[in-house]
Amino acid sequence: MRLDPAMTAVIRGVVPMAQLRDFFDSSFRTLALTIDAQRIAVASPAFCVHRGLPGHGLPGETVDLEVGFATDRAVRPQGDVVAGSLPGGLVARLTHVGSYDALDSSWQRLHSWLRAQGLSAGEVRWETYVTQPTPEMDPRDLRTELNWPVAD
C-alpha cells in the first residue's frame, strides 16, 4: 500500500528491552499532556517506530525507537516531546492479532513475505496500536498493525 507522510509528536530513546514497558507508559503519559496543552489534534492511534535494526530487523538487548501519535500540525518541542514524521511511500502491512509477546514472529513473517516478493525492507518500521491496551483486557483481543516501508 502507498501511504502519505504524516506529522507526529514523539519521544525518542534507545531503551533496554527490560525497560520497554516503562518507557512506553511514561512516554504516552507525557505525550498526552503536551499534545493536550498545545491543543493539537491526534490523527492516529499510538505508534512505535523502530530505527536502525540490523539484519532481519529484530531488536537485540536495546532498541532505538520513538513512540507517539500522528498529529494535525507540528508539536512545539517541550521536554522530551519533539516533532517527527512517519514516512510515506510503499509500505508492507500485516495486522498482528494477540499479545505483544508474539510480535517478533509476526515481524519475521512480514520480513519473509517481503523477501519472497523480491522486495527490500527499509531500516525503519513501525507498529500502530489499533487496540488500546488496558490492564483488564484479554491480550488475545489486541490488534497491532505492523508497517514496513519498502526500500528503493
Side-chain angles (χ1 to χ4, degrees):
M1 76 179 357
R2 286 215 173 268
L3 299 179
D4 292 329
M7 284 186 293
T8 63
V10 298
I11 294 178
R12 297 183 175 128
V14 176
V15 182
M17 291 299 289
Q19 296 174 11
L20 206 51
R21 179 179 288 198
D22 291 340
F23 178 79
F24 274 70
D25 289 346
S26 66
S27 294
F28 286 128
R29 278 193 300 271
T30 301
L31 283 158
L33 292 171
T34 301
I35 289 168
D36 186 54
Q38 293 186 25
R39 292 185 165 81
I40 294 173
V42 171
S44 77
F47 66 82
C48 174
V49 174
H50 301 268
R51 299 193 177 278
L53 298 166
H56 51 64
L58 300 176
E61 290 182 23
T62 62
V63 63
D64 182 356
L65 54 80
E66 59 186 47
V67 298
F69 299 93
T71 56
D72 69 335
R73 60 187 167 87
V75 65
R76 287 186 320 276
Q78 183 176 334
D80 291 333
V81 178
V82 296
S85 65
L86 290 175
L90 186 59
V91 174
R93 178 177 286 167
L94 177 142
T95 299
H96 170 83
V97 178
S99 171
Y100 298 138
D101 295 340
L103 280 170
D104 282 350
S105 64
S106 289
W107 278 116
Q108 288 173 356
R109 198 167 88 225
L110 184 56
H111 191 251
S112 294
W113 181 86
L114 281 163
R115 283 192 319 223
Q117 303 305 308
L119 301 171
S120 297
E123 290 189 23
V124 174
R125 63 185 176 131
W126 73 93
E127 301 164 353
T128 301
Y129 306 108
V130 177
T131 309
Q132 183 176 356
T134 61
E136 64 278 350
M137 81 179 307
D138 184 337
R140 293 177 294 187
D141 295 333
L142 291 169
R143 301 287 182 274
T144 307
E145 284 180 354
L146 308 184
N147 300 278
W148 209 326
V150 175
D152 295 328

